């Protein structure tokens, strides 16, 4: 009986997961890439590596948080905030919220249906 609940639960989790992937792609293509082009045009530098896709969330954090954490970021936060528009901030908020929306059910599913 528990297998039925588990399959229904993970099927319901697929909708927020698809939403997160769409938010990731939209944020990366419509916000991060144009900002990187502006940073390059102004003479700044952009990170040359992307460890497990962490560059995109780094841009979102730099756009949303006023606190600068130079040691933790691989990006130039001053340049990112300089070229960020209100629309970019809204996309960053949507991206981060969609991450939290998928993270919560995955954690619940792991603790409820995970290894005993």
């Amino acid at each position: 009986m528990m297998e039925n609940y588990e399959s229904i639960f993970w099927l319901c989790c697929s909708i927020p997961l698809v939403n997160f992937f769409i938010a990731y792609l939209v944020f990366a293509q419509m916000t991060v890439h144009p900002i990187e082009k502006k940073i390059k045009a102004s003479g700044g530098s952009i990170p040359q590596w992307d460890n497990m896709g962490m560059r995109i969330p780094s841009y979102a954090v730099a756009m949303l948080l006023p606190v600068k954490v130079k040691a933790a970021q691989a990006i130039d936060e001053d340049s990112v905030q300089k070229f960020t528009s209100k629309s970019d901030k809204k996309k960053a908020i949507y991206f981060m919220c969609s991450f939290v929306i998928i993270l919560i059910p995955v954690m619940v599913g792991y603790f409820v249906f995970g290894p005993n």
Side-chain angles (χ1 to χ4, degrees):
M1 186 71 173
M2 191 66 136
E3 290 85 21
N4 287 339
Y5 291 123
E6 183 177 3
S7 60
I8 291 170
F9 177 80
W10 290 117
L11 181 64
C12 291
C13 285
S14 65
I15 295 168
L17 183 65
V18 169
N19 179 48
F20 171 70
F21 287 138
I22 291 170
Y24 187 92
L25 292 174
V26 167
F27 182 69
Q29 294 298 320
M30 297 179 70
T31 300
V32 173
H33 289 301
I35 287 177
E36 285 181 340
K37 287 180 184 178
K38 291 175 187 175
I39 290 172
K40 276 185 182 178
S42 71
S45 65
I46 60 170
Q48 297 301 317
W49 60 274
D50 189 9
N51 189 9
M52 298 185 335
M54 292 307 298
R55 184 179 51 126
I56 305 301
S58 296
Y59 277 94
V61 169
M63 288 178 196
L64 296 177
L65 296 180
V67 178
K68 296 187 178 33
V69 186
K70 294 286 184 190
Q73 298 286 343
I75 60 173
D76 182 13
E77 293 175 339
D78 293 326
S79 296
V80 171
Q81 289 183 350
K82 177 181 170 184
F83 295 115
T84 299
S85 67
K86 288 183 181 181
S87 173
D88 294 334
K89 284 187 179 184
K90 289 179 183 177
K91 290 175 195 158
I93 290 169
Y94 180 71
F95 170 71
M96 296 302 281
C97 287
S98 66
F99 175 70
V100 171
I101 289 170
I102 190 59
L103 187 65
I104 292 170
V106 166
M107 288 174 45
V108 168
Y110 175 78
F111 289 118
V112 172
F113 301 114
N116 294 325

